[in-house]
Structures are given as C-alpha cells and as structure tokens.
Amino acid sequence: MMVDKFKRSLTQRAITSPTGLGRTKKLPFEAAQAAAPTPTTPALPEDVETETEEKLFPPNELYITMKLPPEVAILHIYSNGADEYALWGGNAVAKLSQTKPKKRPPFSLALIVDKKLSAKQIKNDMNFFSFVNPELRKWVKGLRSRFGGQLCLVIADHTNYEIPWEMVELSPEESPHEYLGTLVTTVRWQKFISGDDYLMLNLQQEQCCGNVIAYVLDTELNGSEVIDLEDLKAVIYRSSKHDINEFKAHLERNESSCGFIYISCHGDFRENIFEIWIGSEANKQQRLKYGDLRTHHFNLLKNSQGIVFINACHSGRHKPHPYIPSDYQMGFVELFMKKGARGVIGTLAPVGNKYGSEFARDLIKASLRSPNLSVAALLRELRFKMIKNFPDQPTKEQWESFIYTFMYVYYGNPMTVLRLIPPGGQNGV
C-alpha cells in the first residue's frame, strides 16, 4: 500500500498534540534544540513505499504492529557463532545490508568498570570499535542527512555481548565527539513475552500521566533526587521507614493512576539469572530478586502502563536462561515490561551513587522543562548536554560522568512522553 503521498507521515499523524497544549507539530522524539546542525529534511518521493517488517527482517523478529514510519530505522545485531557479530538494518528508504561477521569486542561497560579500567581507555576502545564499523556509520549518517532531528533508531541487540551502541562514534577520526546516542534518538527493543503473547512495539503517540511512586534506599544512599520526588508529591517508600516488600505490595494494588515508578537502590548481576537483585547491599532481606518476582502480578503496572526507572547498578542488563538454548534475554527490564510497563530505563553497568542521583534529578527537571519530548529524546538531550560541556582536559570525575551518562538506556516506544505534573501547576511550570 502506498503511504498517503507523504503529506503527513504515519508518525506525524500519530503525534497530533493533545488538546490545549498548543504545541507545534513535531515528533515527540525530536530534540527541543538541534543537537547539531543538520540539513533540512528533503521531501520523500511520492512513489516510495514504506517497507513492512516482513520485507525488511525475518517475520516475528520485533513484533511491530504497524508499517515503519520513514523516520524510524531498526538496527539488528546478531551473534555469529560464539565470538562474532553481524549487523543488519533498514528503514523505509535505506537498507543496511548484512555485514560480514566481525570478532566480538572483548568489552562491555559492566566488565570494563569491574576491571577498573580508566574511562579514557573505554572511550579509546569504542573509538576503534567505531572505526572498524564503517558500514554502520555510513548508513546512520545517510539517514541523518535525509531525516535530520526526526530520525529515530531502534536498536535490537540479539546478542549478550553488551556492546554500548549509543557510544558508537559516527566520525571517529574527523569528529571524535559525534556519538550515536547524542545525535540520534535511540531506543532499545527485544523479544518480550507477556502471558501467551509477544509484546508489540507500538510506534504511536503515548502519554504516561498520573501519580509518582518511588522506592529509595535512603539508609545506604544519600539521594538528592528525593527533593524532586517530594515536590511532585510522590508516594515514597524509604528504606529508613519501610520494608521493601511494602513497595512491592503497592505494585500489586488494583490501581490505574500511576505514570512513573522510580526505584533508587543497589543492584547486582549474578551468574544465575534468577539470583540477580535490586535493593539493599547490606541487608539481604531487603532485596527483590528476579526469580521471586516472575510470578507476582503487578496490577498497578498492568493497569497504569507507566514508565519505570530502575536507578540501580546493572538494572538494564540481560542474559539468556542458563539451561535453555534461546535468544530470549532475561532481566529486570524484561520483567517490568512483561508486567505492564510502557517503557523502562535501566543501566548497563555499575553507576556511581552520586552521579546516579544527579542523573535522576536532571531527567525529572528535563521532563518538566520539555513536556512534549519523549523519554528517549530526553535521554538524548542529557547525553548531548554532557558532551557539549565536556572539557578538553577532563578530570577523573568528568571522565566517569562521561561513561555513566551512556550507561542509561531506554526500552520502549520511542514516542512515549512522560508528563510529570507538579501539584497545583501545569506541565513544565
């Protein structure tokens, strides 16, 4: 079927502003201010047909419910044997042909941090990794020249190699600060099984509004973001006053008015996937384990379908079941997605306690300041802000902030907007 002569793209039709907001018709993942100068998006030819998922990729690969809007591209990463990877991607008008297998890079952010390598060394490793992937860089830059700030990239990593794709440099030799995650709105997606069905990636406008519920480990972390949560009149479960199971019980309530769930605590990633946990580092009784939560019914999540932000070490990491050969990746993002979350923000590695708190505050403030930007675009803006202010001679703390910022990734619809409304005020007031 021909797209409606591209008078308005499928995505643009889906994000018409809610009544009363008075915003111009922009994609919700379009940056509030241009992250970098980009050419004007040329009009697409009227005879260009939007490719269906079946034409671009194997059937049932990502479970998309509609044809891909031209501004949305998908990058697949496949494992080839035990230690190689290959890339394959495309959108309505530009395809990335399957690349030749390349050797698996010997790093992930989590492993690098655990080995105590310097942040500067991590950057140098990613610079070389970017250099040896010219096909990916050329494809993305071609899409940017066509779609500018409207471009969104869905990253579907089917491996467990944990490559930080948001840190790929588009011009590693000429412009060493052009990072994929700062110049392109990116989201991650994978197979999620909920009940008897696979979850669909819905590329349409969604809003997450309502109450804020939070769990904060204030007995072990001195999180300054509590101030912002209190300003939002959030329901806060503090470890100094509440058992973590009280927070869990709240998620099981039959409520439908929650737009944002925030969790600030420690986290650990174990060899046995069922033993990974979030909660207290000092008290084992104050932990939520992945294996224990799998059978719980989080009715609040199912009914509200809000955004979950797990601000804990390793919260965005996945791994396959240890005994069943499968490409199905398991972890806390997968858990909350299949329980009903519309999107989940997690981390790819251990994050410094002080920085984690500051990042949460920045995200909340950015959401209030730019209520029409999607969650994915807000993360892009925070990454770009960090790079824009990065000095030529960074300190050790600034190098760490550089790495920590790229550790935060978002799984979910790229067009989901989080509307945090301060009591007695309006969005962004």
Side-chain angles (χ1 to χ4, degrees):
M1 177 183 294
M2 299 296 294
V3 177
D4 186 21
K5 296 188 181 298
F6 288 98
K7 292 180 180 178
R8 298 177 71 196
S9 71
L10 289 171
T11 309
Q12 289 168 327
R13 292 202 301 272
I15 57 88
T16 302
S17 301
T19 303
L21 290 180
R23 66 183 289 266
T24 57
K25 294 177 182 177
K26 285 185 178 180
L27 297 173
F29 48 79
E30 186 175 354
Q33 296 180 348
T38 54
T40 302
T41 303
L44 293 172
E46 294 187 357
D47 60 348
V48 174
E49 181 179 358
T50 300
E51 293 283 10
T52 62
E53 184 189 8
E54 287 78 7
K55 290 182 181 180
L56 285 174
F57 311 109
N60 296 328
E61 197 67 62
L62 281 183
Y63 304 95
I64 297 178
T65 59
M66 61 183 286
K67 290 183 178 181
L68 289 177
E71 307 90 346
V72 178
I74 302 178
L75 172 66
H76 286 269
I77 302 99
Y78 293 101
S79 59
N80 185 67
D83 60 354
E84 292 182 329
Y85 70 93
L87 309 178
W88 186 22
N91 77 330
V93 296
K95 185 175 182 179
L96 171 64
S97 299
Q98 184 169 337
T99 62
K100 294 181 179 180
K102 292 184 175 69
K103 186 176 181 181
R104 170 184 181 176
F107 61 78
S108 72
L109 291 184
L111 295 177
I112 290 175
V113 171
D114 288 344
K115 292 179 179 178
K116 307 299 182 183
L117 293 182
S118 70
K120 184 177 181 180
Q121 183 61 51
I122 297 174
K123 182 187 182 304
N124 290 338
D125 289 342
M126 279 306 300
N127 178 272
F128 181 74
F129 176 81
S130 305
F131 175 75
V132 298
N133 278 281
E135 305 93 344
L136 172 61
R137 294 188 283 109
K138 181 178 180 180
W139 176 62
V140 172
K141 287 193 283 190
L143 292 174
R144 287 193 69 232
S145 68
R146 180 181 287 268
F147 297 108
Q150 293 185 333
L151 176 63
C152 176
L153 181 65
V154 179
I155 301 173
D157 193 336
H158 306 279
T159 76
N160 62 348
Y161 298 168
E162 299 187 317
I163 299 171
W165 296 102
E166 291 79 5
M167 285 183 65
V168 167
E169 298 180 32
L170 299 183
S171 301
E173 292 186 307
E174 299 85 2
S175 301
H177 293 301
E178 292 185 355
Y179 297 96
L180 177 64
T182 66
L183 300 181
V184 177
T185 299
T186 60
V187 300
R188 294 197 174 209
W189 191 250
Q190 65 175 52
K191 291 180 180 179
F192 297 110
I193 300 176
S194 180
D196 296 328
D197 297 312
Y198 288 92
L199 293 181
M200 297 290 180
L201 177 61
N202 293 302
L203 300 174
Q204 59 187 16
Q205 185 191 23
E206 296 178 327
Q207 296 184 47
C208 290
C209 308
N211 301 329
V212 178
I213 299 173
Y215 174 81
V216 293
L217 189 69
D218 63 345
T219 51
E220 300 175 34
L221 301 175
N222 185 20
S224 58
E225 73 272 30
V226 173
I227 299 173
D228 302 276
L229 295 171
E230 290 174 338
D231 289 342
L232 293 170
K233 301 300 182 184
V235 177
I236 306 176
Y237 289 86
R238 308 168 192 259
S239 60
S240 58
K241 299 179 180 179
H242 304 93
D243 189 287
I244 196 171
N245 289 297
E246 294 180 56
F247 167 73
K248 183 185 71 174
H250 195 142
L251 300 183
E252 296 173 342
R253 296 182 186 178
N254 285 313
E255 297 180 1
S256 58
S257 59
C258 179
F260 184 49
I261 297 174
Y262 177 72
I263 304 171
S264 175
C265 58
H266 292 298
D268 195 15
F269 201 68
R270 301 293 182 88
E271 183 65 27
N272 184 342
I273 189 65
F274 297 105
E275 293 296 319
I276 67 173
W277 56 265
I278 53 176
S280 169
E281 194 171 63
N283 187 349
K284 293 183 179 180
Q285 302 304 314
Q286 297 300 305
R287 296 177 181 177
L288 298 178
K289 290 185 178 182
Y290 171 86
D292 296 335
L293 297 180
R294 291 183 67 249
T295 57
H296 282 268
H297 298 288
F298 291 158
N299 298 317
L300 182 144
L301 263 179
K302 182 179 179 181
N303 297 334
S304 300
Q305 296 185 323
I307 297 294
V308 178
F309 181 5
I310 316 173
N311 201 359
C313 296
H314 308 287
S315 60
R317 298 180 69 187
H318 295 94
K319 67 188 309 181
H321 190 284
Y323 309 118
I324 302 175
S326 171
D327 62 349
Y328 189 81
Q329 302 286 319
M330 305 164 70
F332 278 110
V333 169
E334 174 254 355
L335 176 78
F336 282 102
M337 287 295 296
K338 71 181 183 182
K339 297 295 183 183
R342 196 169 265 150
V344 180
I345 301 171
T347 67
L348 298 176
V351 176
N353 297 337
K354 181 176 181 291
Y355 182 82
S357 176
E358 293 174 350
F359 187 89
R361 298 198 71 179
D362 288 343
L363 180 65
I364 292 174
K365 291 176 181 177
S367 177
L368 294 172
R369 184 172 58 249
S370 304
N372 297 321
L373 283 185
S374 69
V375 176
L378 292 176
L379 291 179
R380 166 187 167 174
E381 290 285 280
L382 293 180
R383 297 186 195 110
F384 177 75
K385 179 182 177 182
M386 180 272 299
I387 290 297
K388 182 180 179 181
N389 298 322
F390 200 66
D392 294 332
Q393 299 295 328
T395 63
K396 180 177 181 293
E397 184 179 46
Q398 288 168 328
W399 270 119
E400 290 175 349
S401 295
F402 171 89
I403 297 300
Y404 290 150
T405 302
F406 281 102
M407 288 184 184
Y408 288 91
V409 296
Y410 169 73
Y411 283 80
N413 179 6
M415 300 180 65
T416 298
V417 176
L418 176 63
R419 300 197 183 279
L420 299 175
I421 305 177
Q426 297 180 349
N427 299 67
V429 177

